[in-house]
Amino acid sequence: MNTANKTLAITLIRSGIGRPPQHRETLKRLGLTRLHKTVVLKGTPQVRGMINQVSHLLSVVEQD
């Protein structure tokens, strides 16, 4: 199955405070503005790249 068709439930589990500005901007672009906030996005290569950049701050669950 193509992974780009799946949706991803992304939750911010660690704060962006004290992180490099680029990481904070990435969190903002993903729509993650508060701790424990969850957003559901399509699993596009662009979104997966952003997740990879700040993966240490996130919890990601693939959905069908």
Side-chain angles (χ1 to χ4, degrees):
M1 176 180 267
N2 189 358
T3 58
N5 292 337
K6 293 189 177 188
T7 57
L8 304 171
I10 308 161
T11 304
L12 183 62
I13 56 170
R14 300 199 63 196
S15 176
I17 295 173
R19 304 294 176 185
Q22 187 174 8
H23 289 190
R24 295 173 81 164
E25 185 65 24
T26 301
L27 292 173
K28 186 176 170 184
R29 302 269 176 173
L30 286 170
L32 298 168
T33 55
R34 295 177 177 221
L35 280 178
H36 307 294
K37 181 174 181 179
T38 301
V39 294
V40 178
L41 301 171
K42 291 183 182 177
T44 64
Q46 294 83 3
V47 170
R48 289 180 184 272
M50 288 191 282
I51 291 169
N52 191 38
Q53 186 179 25
V54 291
S55 62
H56 56 287
L57 305 175
L58 307 174
S59 170
V60 181
V61 177
E62 276 194 2
Q63 302 174 338
D64 289 330

